[in-house]
Amino acid sequence: AGHNTVTVNGQDQMLKGGRFIWFYWVKMATATLTKKTNFEFAGSIDAYRQLGTINHTRKVSKEPETFNWEVIDTVCTKSQVMTQHWHINPAMFEKITFVAVDAAGNELKPVIEEKWMSSYYGVKEPSIALKFETGSTTITTQITINP
């Protein structure tokens, strides 16, 4: 939940242990980056082993010379709550637009919270966190930065 990624049933991809310890490190991951008419990233991990292994794929598409991204997150599991997390610098919050829909095309309303971020070790700065939740297996998010 502390990264721009997805949690499943409130669980991170790895299981948090004691101080600075994480269990169930991701061992199966793939990624590709291509440039056609736009830039396309596709990544896949087998993770969330504390819930049974769940596959998470993320596809990102960006048109060159624009400030528009499409992000598609999919988890291969049933009976779950998938949450997509985004962390935003407060100075940029008013300039960024997020529109998210679930697998059925239903628009998801963001939950907006004040959180903390650390750009450097030992430095704690205010941040804004958005999260979108669904019981479906996919969240598609359009992100636009308005200069």
Side-chain angles (χ1 to χ4, degrees):
H3 297 272
N4 296 325
T5 190
V6 168
T7 55
V8 176
N9 292 339
Q11 298 288 310
D12 290 317
Q13 293 93 340
M14 298 181 293
L15 180 64
K16 178 80 172 99
R19 259 184 92 122
F20 300 106
I21 302 292
W22 289 91
F23 299 106
Y24 304 141
W25 282 70
V26 172
K27 297 193 189 243
M28 180 62 80
T30 61
T32 60
L33 180 62
T34 58
K35 182 178 188 280
K36 298 176 183 173
T37 56
N38 55 356
F39 297 100
E40 294 181 5
F41 167 84
S44 177
I45 62 171
D46 288 339
Y48 310 96
R49 283 192 281 162
Q50 65 274 26
L51 300 172
T53 300
I54 297 170
N55 180 266
H56 170 219
T57 62
R58 172 168 276 187
K59 295 179 182 176
V60 180
S61 179
K62 183 189 182 307
E63 298 174 27
E65 301 180 27
T66 70
F67 298 109
N68 303 309
W69 292 261
E70 179 181 70
V71 179
I72 303 171
D73 283 311
T74 303
V75 293
C76 296
T77 185
K78 296 178 183 173
S79 303
Q80 89 288 327
V81 174
M82 178 172 65
T83 306
Q84 187 186 63
H85 301 270
W86 299 104
H87 299 272
I88 305 158
N89 182 321
M92 292 296 295
F93 183 71
E94 296 297 324
K95 295 182 178 189
I96 303 176
T97 304
F98 290 83
V99 177
V101 297
D102 66 10
N106 300 310
E107 187 171 345
L108 304 173
K109 299 296 180 195
V111 174
I112 303 171
E113 302 174 311
E114 291 183 11
K115 295 285 187 175
W116 296 97
M117 63 176 246
S118 178
S119 297
Y120 305 98
Y121 186 78
V123 176
K124 187 175 176 182
E125 304 169 85
S127 175
I128 297 175
L130 266 73
K131 63 182 180 182
F132 297 99
E133 284 192 349
T134 184
S136 78
T137 58
T138 302
I139 298 176
T140 301
T141 306
Q142 302 292 329
I143 303 169
T144 304
I145 298 176
N146 306 302

